[in-house]
């Protein structure tokens, strides 16, 4: 029984009055809006599917990570590509 990863794309826009409380909620400080929305999407998919192993693909190009310089990221990425 082979897995089939046939997906699709859904684009939408969230209104600022929905985003603002998420960005400024004290318990969510230190998290990006992307992390918050992704965690909520996982919870929603789990709720409706009952599956605990959910695979989502997201892009991360041109992102900067605090405390990690470009050379460290490059070495890490090369590790995965060369494995």
């Amino acid at each position: 029984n082979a897995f089939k990863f046939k997906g699709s794309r859904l684009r939408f826009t969230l209104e600022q009055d929905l985003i603002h409380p998420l960005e400024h909620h004290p318990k969510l400080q230190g998290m990006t809006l992307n992390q918050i929305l992704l965690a909520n999407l996982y919870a929603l998919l789990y709720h409706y599917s009952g599956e605990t192993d959910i695979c989502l693909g997201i892009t991360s190009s041109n992102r900067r990570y605090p405390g990690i310089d470009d050379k460290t990221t490059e070495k890490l990425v090369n590790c995965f590509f060369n494995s």
Side-chain angles (χ1 to χ4, degrees):
N1 197 4
F3 289 107
K4 294 182 179 156
F5 296 100
K6 189 174 184 180
S8 62
R9 182 184 306 189
L10 173 65
R11 291 181 185 253
F12 59 93
T13 303
L14 294 175
E15 300 297 326
Q16 186 61 34
D17 60 335
L18 294 174
I19 295 173
H20 184 77
L22 292 174
E23 291 178 319
H24 301 317
H25 193 284
K27 290 187 177 180
L28 301 176
Q29 293 301 312
M31 295 178 68
T32 66
L33 184 58
N34 189 44
Q35 292 170 321
I36 296 166
L37 294 175
L38 188 59
N40 281 281
L41 179 57
Y42 274 111
L44 182 69
L45 291 173
Y46 168 74
H47 176 76
Y48 284 105
S49 71
E51 293 290 329
T52 57
D53 190 13
I54 298 172
C55 180
L56 292 174
I58 59 170
T59 59
S60 63
S61 62
N62 296 323
R63 293 184 189 229
R64 300 287 180 242
Y65 300 95
I68 302 176
D69 60 28
D70 289 339
K71 280 292 184 193
T72 304
T73 304
E74 182 180 329
K75 289 177 185 175
L76 178 63
V77 170
N78 283 335
C79 174
F80 292 114
F81 279 122
N82 293 328
S83 295

